[in-house]
PDB file of all heavy atoms in Angstrom:
ATOM      1  N   ILE A  70      68.525 -68.548 -33.914  1.00  0.00           N
ATOM      2  CA  ILE A  70      67.979 -69.879 -34.218  1.00  0.00           C
ATOM      3  C   ILE A  70      67.195 -69.805 -35.523  1.00  0.00           C
ATOM      4  O   ILE A  70      66.476 -70.737 -35.869  1.00  0.00           O
ATOM      5  CB  ILE A  70      67.030 -70.406 -33.093  1.00  0.00           C
ATOM      6  CG1 ILE A  70      65.832 -69.466 -32.914  1.00  0.00           C
ATOM      7  CG2 ILE A  70      67.833 -70.527 -31.796  1.00  0.00           C
ATOM      8  CD1 ILE A  70      64.772 -70.073 -31.999  1.00  0.00           C
ATOM      9  N   GLY A  71      67.381 -68.732 -36.285  1.00  0.00           N
ATOM     10  CA  GLY A  71      66.722 -68.611 -37.613  1.00  0.00           C
ATOM     11  C   GLY A  71      65.253 -68.263 -37.515  1.00  0.00           C
ATOM     12  O   GLY A  71      64.508 -68.524 -38.428  1.00  0.00           O
ATOM     13  N   TRP A  72      64.869 -67.582 -36.456  1.00  0.00           N
ATOM     14  CA  TRP A  72      63.451 -67.276 -36.221  1.00  0.00           C
ATOM     15  C   TRP A  72      63.050 -66.124 -37.192  1.00  0.00           C
ATOM     16  O   TRP A  72      63.819 -65.174 -37.413  1.00  0.00           O
ATOM     17  CB  TRP A  72      63.260 -66.779 -34.790  1.00  0.00           C
ATOM     18  CG  TRP A  72      61.903 -66.357 -34.396  1.00  0.00           C
ATOM     19  CD1 TRP A  72      60.826 -67.154 -34.090  1.00  0.00           C
ATOM     20  CD2 TRP A  72      61.399 -65.030 -34.222  1.00  0.00           C
ATOM     21  NE1 TRP A  72      59.720 -66.410 -33.697  1.00  0.00           N
ATOM     22  CE2 TRP A  72      60.037 -65.088 -33.762  1.00  0.00           C
ATOM     23  CE3 TRP A  72      62.008 -63.782 -34.337  1.00  0.00           C
ATOM     24  CZ2 TRP A  72      59.324 -63.969 -33.499  1.00  0.00           C
ATOM     25  CZ3 TRP A  72      61.259 -62.649 -34.052  1.00  0.00           C
ATOM     26  CH2 TRP A  72      59.965 -62.739 -33.640  1.00  0.00           C
ATOM     27  N   ASN A  73      61.900 -66.250 -37.749  1.00  0.00           N
ATOM     28  CA  ASN A  73      61.359 -65.230 -38.641  1.00  0.00           C
ATOM     29  C   ASN A  73      60.275 -64.416 -37.880  1.00  0.00           C
ATOM     30  O   ASN A  73      59.282 -65.015 -37.408  1.00  0.00           O
ATOM     31  CB  ASN A  73      60.766 -65.801 -39.888  1.00  0.00           C
ATOM     32  CG  ASN A  73      61.816 -66.394 -40.809  1.00  0.00           C
ATOM     33  OD1 ASN A  73      62.895 -65.828 -41.000  1.00  0.00           O
ATOM     34  ND2 ASN A  73      61.582 -67.586 -41.320  1.00  0.00           N
ATOM     35  N   ARG A  74      60.392 -63.131 -37.819  1.00  0.00           N
ATOM     36  CA  ARG A  74      59.417 -62.263 -37.136  1.00  0.00           C
ATOM     37  C   ARG A  74      58.102 -62.311 -37.889  1.00  0.00           C
ATOM     38  O   ARG A  74      58.076 -62.175 -39.127  1.00  0.00           O
ATOM     39  CB  ARG A  74      59.951 -60.844 -37.073  1.00  0.00           C
ATOM     40  CG  ARG A  74      59.029 -59.880 -36.265  1.00  0.00           C
ATOM     41  CD  ARG A  74      59.578 -58.500 -36.309  1.00  0.00           C
ATOM     42  NE  ARG A  74      58.727 -57.593 -35.555  1.00  0.00           N
ATOM     43  CZ  ARG A  74      59.152 -56.860 -34.532  1.00  0.00           C
ATOM     44  NH1 ARG A  74      60.426 -56.920 -34.192  1.00  0.00           N
ATOM     45  NH2 ARG A  74      58.344 -56.019 -33.899  1.00  0.00           N
ATOM     46  N   PRO A  75      57.003 -62.497 -37.194  1.00  0.00           N
ATOM     47  CA  PRO A  75      55.667 -62.465 -37.849  1.00  0.00           C
ATOM     48  C   PRO A  75      55.404 -61.129 -38.479  1.00  0.00           C
ATOM     49  O   PRO A  75      56.026 -60.094 -38.158  1.00  0.00           O
ATOM     50  CB  PRO A  75      54.696 -62.818 -36.707  1.00  0.00           C
ATOM     51  CG  PRO A  75      55.524 -63.468 -35.634  1.00  0.00           C
ATOM     52  CD  PRO A  75      56.879 -62.811 -35.763  1.00  0.00           C
ATOM     53  N   ASP A  76      54.429 -61.094 -39.387  1.00  0.00           N
ATOM     54  CA  ASP A  76      53.953 -59.878 -40.025  1.00  0.00           C
ATOM     55  C   ASP A  76      53.656 -58.827 -38.964  1.00  0.00           C
ATOM     56  O   ASP A  76      52.783 -59.059 -38.102  1.00  0.00           O
ATOM     57  CB  ASP A  76      52.738 -60.157 -40.867  1.00  0.00           C
ATOM     58  CG  ASP A  76      52.274 -58.941 -41.675  1.00  0.00           C
ATOM     59  OD1 ASP A  76      52.524 -57.802 -41.288  1.00  0.00           O
ATOM     60  OD2 ASP A  76      51.600 -59.132 -42.693  1.00  0.00           O
ATOM     61  N   PRO A  77      54.358 -57.711 -38.940  1.00  0.00           N
ATOM     62  CA  PRO A  77      54.179 -56.737 -37.878  1.00  0.00           C
ATOM     63  C   PRO A  77      52.787 -56.141 -37.748  1.00  0.00           C
ATOM     64  O   PRO A  77      52.440 -55.600 -36.729  1.00  0.00           O
ATOM     65  CB  PRO A  77      55.238 -55.663 -38.215  1.00  0.00           C
ATOM     66  CG  PRO A  77      55.518 -55.789 -39.649  1.00  0.00           C
ATOM     67  CD  PRO A  77      55.355 -57.263 -39.946  1.00  0.00           C
ATOM     68  N   HIS A  78      52.048 -56.208 -38.845  1.00  0.00           N
ATOM     69  CA  HIS A  78      50.720 -55.597 -38.825  1.00  0.00           C
ATOM     70  C   HIS A  78      49.590 -56.550 -38.486  1.00  0.00           C
ATOM     71  O   HIS A  78      48.408 -56.083 -38.383  1.00  0.00           O
ATOM     72  CB  HIS A  78      50.445 -54.965 -40.221  1.00  0.00           C
ATOM     73  CG  HIS A  78      51.521 -54.014 -40.663  1.00  0.00           C
ATOM     74  ND1 HIS A  78      51.829 -52.891 -40.009  1.00  0.00           N
ATOM     75  CD2 HIS A  78      52.412 -54.114 -41.717  1.00  0.00           C
ATOM     76  CE1 HIS A  78      52.783 -52.273 -40.594  1.00  0.00           C
ATOM     77  NE2 HIS A  78      53.173 -52.962 -41.634  1.00  0.00           N
ATOM     78  N   VAL A  79      49.870 -57.773 -38.218  1.00  0.00           N
ATOM     79  CA  VAL A  79      48.843 -58.777 -37.853  1.00  0.00           C
ATOM     80  C   VAL A  79      48.670 -58.780 -36.350  1.00  0.00           C
ATOM     81  O   VAL A  79      49.610 -58.634 -35.582  1.00  0.00           O
ATOM     82  CB  VAL A  79      49.289 -60.168 -38.369  1.00  0.00           C
ATOM     83  CG1 VAL A  79      48.405 -61.262 -37.747  1.00  0.00           C
ATOM     84  CG2 VAL A  79      49.278 -60.227 -39.891  1.00  0.00           C
ATOM     85  N   TYR A  80      47.361 -58.927 -35.991  1.00  0.00           N
ATOM     86  CA  TYR A  80      47.000 -58.960 -34.563  1.00  0.00           C
ATOM     87  C   TYR A  80      46.975 -60.402 -34.089  1.00  0.00           C
ATOM     88  O   TYR A  80      46.065 -61.158 -34.478  1.00  0.00           O
ATOM     89  CB  TYR A  80      45.669 -58.325 -34.340  1.00  0.00           C
ATOM     90  CG  TYR A  80      45.668 -56.809 -34.525  1.00  0.00           C
ATOM     91  CD1 TYR A  80      45.708 -56.231 -35.761  1.00  0.00           C
ATOM     92  CD2 TYR A  80      45.608 -55.931 -33.408  1.00  0.00           C
ATOM     93  CE1 TYR A  80      45.678 -54.875 -35.958  1.00  0.00           C
ATOM     94  CE2 TYR A  80      45.604 -54.561 -33.574  1.00  0.00           C
ATOM     95  CZ  TYR A  80      45.649 -54.031 -34.835  1.00  0.00           C
ATOM     96  OH  TYR A  80      45.656 -52.644 -35.012  1.00  0.00           O
ATOM     97  N   PRO A  81      47.868 -60.876 -33.242  1.00  0.00           N
ATOM     98  CA  PRO A  81      47.904 -62.273 -32.873  1.00  0.00           C
ATOM     99  C   PRO A  81      46.913 -62.582 -31.726  1.00  0.00           C
ATOM    100  O   PRO A  81      46.479 -61.646 -31.015  1.00  0.00           O
ATOM    101  CB  PRO A  81      49.310 -62.460 -32.345  1.00  0.00           C
ATOM    102  CG  PRO A  81      49.702 -61.144 -31.774  1.00  0.00           C
ATOM    103  CD  PRO A  81      49.041 -60.091 -32.666  1.00  0.00           C
ATOM    104  N   THR A  82      46.560 -63.812 -31.556  1.00  0.00           N
ATOM    105  CA  THR A  82      45.864 -64.283 -30.369  1.00  0.00           C
ATOM    106  C   THR A  82      46.920 -64.594 -29.313  1.00  0.00           C
ATOM    107  O   THR A  82      48.083 -64.690 -29.605  1.00  0.00           O
ATOM    108  CB  THR A  82      45.018 -65.517 -30.648  1.00  0.00           C
ATOM    109  OG1 THR A  82      45.903 -66.575 -31.060  1.00  0.00           O
ATOM    110  CG2 THR A  82      44.024 -65.252 -31.802  1.00  0.00           C
ATOM    111  N   GLY A  83      46.400 -64.809 -28.088  1.00  0.00           N
ATOM    112  CA  GLY A  83      47.361 -65.272 -27.105  1.00  0.00           C
ATOM    113  C   GLY A  83      48.053 -66.544 -27.429  1.00  0.00           C
ATOM    114  O   GLY A  83      49.239 -66.768 -27.207  1.00  0.00           O
TER     115      GLY A  83
END
Side-chain angles (χ1 to χ4, degrees):
I70 63 169
W72 180 79
N73 292 317
R74 184 183 181 122
D76 185 333
H78 305 298
V79 169
Y80 289 75
T82 62

